[in-house]
């Protein structure tokens, strides 16, 4: 099924109440002038021309998806005519022009629209009138045959949700978490969809946190490999790989840890925006997130321990090398000392006139060297 992006409002149908732009429309127009290159109000591109960020636009009534192709303006108008209707508009990396037109239709605040276009936000929950703005950071594990100092372990992206009385707009950046499986699964659960847009917000958040758990479990496998290599006698355990893994873990941690506060707000008893039944579902998501946060923190501690252990091994290896060098230097010093004595120009020196003096001295030097070698080997220096 093909869904078209409607870049402006359509005239009301017969008997339909005329749609009045909300109070946020003027600030949105001001924001678009500020963010445009030349300061002028950008002209939305016609539907079907240029970039189309709309992935799916669906109207749900009484928990069931309504058939047909819907523009986002028509779907919103139809949802407002229904008692239990709402719109789920899915966007992928929208441009400013498209997002501005959608914001004017749905009454989105200029600051939230700016965040949705730039996609450089940490997880948060903000309230703009009757519209909630929830920002999630997504994560996906990147498969790799071998962990190197340049391996990408975690790929991150963002999903931003505008939750209103009759709509939910999901804005996805990156491919770390695709929402089509969430939509397909949710459309089989009519009882949950009856709860309205917040049911969709729960399903998306639950999917994002489930991916966190998957990523955490797979990172644990990489840490096991690193730990085994560090403590393997024949392993290399290069510090660069440990440091790269720590950088990837930090990126994952930035996605997971800040989400705790928004979820705490969503599950709070004083939050009247979220239906009571959906708050129970969000508490389950919060439990999963807490587990992931504990895992990430433990991984961070483990990586620090692995790094410290590897640094200690490097120090020990350096000390061993110095002991070997010192042992060989001691053996060489004996030869140098004896040769230096007999190299002095004196007439009255012992054994100079002996017939077998030269081989005797060489044999003595060799015997002392073998004794020193065995002594150093016995004490672990060689």
């Amino acid at each position: 099924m093909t869904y078209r992006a409607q870049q402006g409002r359509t005239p009301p149908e017969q008997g339909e109440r005329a749609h009045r732009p909300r109070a946020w429309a003027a600030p949105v127009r001001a924001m678009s002038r500020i963010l445009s290159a030349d300061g002028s109000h950008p002209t939305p591109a016609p539907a079907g021309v240029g970039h189309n960020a709309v992935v799916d636009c669906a109207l749900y009534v009484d928990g069931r998806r309504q058939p047909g192709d819907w523009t986002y303006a028509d779907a919103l108008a139809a949802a407002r005519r229904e008692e239990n209707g709402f719109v789920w508009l899915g966007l992928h990396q929208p441009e400013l022009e498209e997002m501005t037109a959608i914001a004017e239709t749905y009454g989105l605040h200029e600051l939230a629209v700016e965040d949705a276009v730039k996609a450089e936000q940490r997880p948060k929950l903000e309230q703009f009138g009757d519209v909630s703005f929830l920002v999630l950071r997504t994560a996906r594990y990147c498969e790799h045959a071998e962990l190197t100092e340049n391996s990408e372990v975690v790929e991150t992206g963002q999903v931003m949700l505008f939750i209103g009385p009759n709509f939910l707009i999901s804005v996805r950046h990156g491919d770390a978490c695709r929402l089509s499986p969430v939509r397909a699964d949710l459309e089989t659960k009519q009882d949950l969809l009856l709860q309205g847009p917040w049911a969709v917000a729960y399903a998306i958040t639950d999917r994002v946190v489930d991916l966190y758990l998957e990523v955490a479990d797979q990172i644990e496998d990489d840490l096991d490999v690193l730990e085994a290599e560090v403590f393997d006698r024949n392993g290399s355990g290069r510090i660069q790989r440990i440091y790269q893994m720590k950088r990837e873990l930090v990126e994952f941690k930035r996605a997971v840890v800040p989400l705790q506060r928004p979820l705490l707000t969503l599950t709070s008893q004083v939050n009247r925006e979220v239906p009571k039944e959906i708050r129970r579902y969000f508490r389950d998501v919060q439990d999963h997130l807490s587990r992931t946060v504990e895992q990430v923190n433990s991984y961070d501690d483990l990586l620090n321990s692995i790094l410290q252990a590897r640094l200690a091994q490097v120090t020990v290896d350096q000390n061993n090398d110095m002991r070997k060098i010192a042992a060989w230097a001691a053996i060489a010093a004996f030869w140098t000392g004896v040769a230096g004595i007999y190299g002095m120009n004196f007439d009255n020196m012992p054994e100079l006139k002996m017939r077998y003096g030269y081989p005797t001295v060489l044999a003595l030097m060799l015997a002392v060297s073998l004794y020193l070698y065995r002594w150093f080997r016995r004490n672990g220096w060689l």
Side-chain angles (χ1 to χ4, degrees):
M1 183 179 295
T2 303
Y3 298 93
R4 304 185 306 274
Q6 175 66 30
Q7 302 298 337
R9 293 188 299 274
T10 57
E13 300 177 359
Q14 185 68 27
E16 175 186 338
R17 184 179 58 182
H19 171 65
R20 294 182 179 178
R22 298 187 184 181
W24 303 124
V28 169
R29 287 192 292 270
M31 181 276 299
S32 64
R33 287 194 296 270
I34 294 173
L35 295 181
S36 60
D38 57 358
S40 60
H41 181 64
T43 303
V49 177
H51 178 73
N52 185 2
V54 178
V55 178
D56 200 352
C57 181
L59 172 65
Y60 297 90
V61 178
D62 293 329
R64 294 187 179 277
R65 178 168 182 160
Q66 303 304 297
D69 293 348
W70 296 90
T71 63
Y72 59 76
D74 291 341
L76 180 62
R80 286 173 173 165
R81 292 197 300 266
E82 302 290 342
E83 183 178 355
N84 294 319
F86 72 93
V87 180
W88 180 0
L89 175 62
L91 306 175
H92 180 232
Q93 298 181 182
E95 295 179 353
L96 176 61
E97 292 79 4
E98 274 188 298
M99 200 64 207
T100 301
I102 294 172
E104 291 181 352
T105 303
Y106 283 78
L108 308 180
H109 195 275
E110 57 175 316
L111 296 178
V113 172
E114 181 181 358
D115 291 345
V117 173
K118 290 185 176 181
E120 299 173 353
Q121 304 300 312
R122 59 181 286 142
K124 63 180 180 179
L125 175 65
E126 295 181 340
Q127 194 71 30
F128 298 98
D130 57 354
V131 178
S132 299
F133 180 56
L134 177 62
V135 177
L136 308 171
R137 291 196 66 179
T138 57
R140 179 177 65 178
Y141 182 81
C142 299
E143 297 290 343
H144 46 268
E146 181 183 3
L147 183 64
T148 66
E149 53 266 26
N150 297 318
S151 296
E152 183 181 8
V153 179
V154 180
E155 176 190 353
T156 58
Q158 285 199 325
V159 170
M160 306 178 183
L161 306 179
F162 295 89
I163 308 112
N166 306 103
F167 64 87
L168 180 137
I169 302 174
S170 59
V171 182
R172 179 170 61 90
H173 289 267
D175 295 324
C177 178
R178 296 183 178 272
L179 301 182
S180 53
V182 179
R183 188 188 291 265
D185 179 68
L186 196 58
E187 288 177 355
T188 64
K189 302 175 181 178
Q190 182 181 2
D191 293 341
L192 188 57
L193 277 176
L194 281 172
Q195 299 295 327
W198 280 105
V200 180
Y202 150 73
I204 295 175
T205 307
D206 184 55
R207 174 59 178 166
V208 169
V209 174
D210 285 346
L211 287 177
Y212 290 167
L213 291 171
E214 295 178 12
V215 172
D217 292 339
Q218 290 170 310
I219 286 179
E220 185 176 7
D221 296 336
D222 285 335
L223 292 179
D224 291 340
V225 173
L226 275 179
E227 188 176 18
E229 289 180 351
V230 166
F231 292 100
D232 184 7
R233 178 177 289 272
N234 299 321
S236 60
R238 296 181 61 185
I239 293 180
Q240 291 88 339
R241 289 191 291 178
I242 302 175
Y243 183 72
Q244 175 65 16
M245 190 65 194
K246 190 168 181 62
R247 289 188 62 182
E248 295 293 315
L249 185 62
V250 167
E251 182 178 359
F252 182 48
K253 193 173 183 179
R254 288 173 179 170
V256 174
V257 175
L259 186 57
Q260 295 180 99
R261 178 171 294 181
L263 280 184
L264 183 63
T265 303
L266 291 175
T267 56
S268 174
Q269 296 291 338
V270 298
N271 192 329
R272 301 303 178 187
E273 299 292 333
V274 184
K276 182 178 180 180
E277 184 66 24
I278 298 300
R279 286 205 299 269
R280 296 195 183 100
Y281 286 97
F282 272 118
R283 277 194 288 271
D284 180 68
V285 177
Q286 187 179 27
D287 291 339
H288 292 170
L289 181 66
S290 299
R291 172 189 163 188
T292 307
V293 171
E294 291 175 358
Q295 285 182 286
V296 171
N297 289 332
S298 64
Y299 295 163
D300 195 21
D301 293 339
L302 179 60
L303 263 180
N304 288 333
S305 300
I306 293 175
L307 183 59
Q308 292 299 322
R310 183 55 190 151
L311 291 175
Q313 287 180 343
V314 170
T315 303
V316 171
D317 292 341
Q318 291 175 344
N319 290 337
N320 289 335
D321 293 339
M322 292 301 298
R323 290 166 65 180
K324 290 179 181 179
I325 294 173
W328 285 114
I331 295 173
F334 176 74
W335 284 70
T336 303
V338 174
I341 291 174
Y342 277 88
M344 291 187 287
N345 297 320
F346 290 100
D347 291 332
N348 298 321
M349 292 187 68
E351 289 87 27
L352 282 179
K353 304 301 182 179
M354 290 180 60
R355 182 177 181 180
Y356 299 103
Y358 180 69
T360 300
V361 171
L362 286 180
L364 178 62
M365 293 169 64
L366 182 60
V368 173
S369 299
L370 289 175
Y371 171 78
L372 290 175
Y373 177 78
R374 293 189 63 183
W375 186 83
F376 285 130
R377 288 276 295 183
R378 187 168 58 249
N379 288 276
W381 282 55
L382 288 175

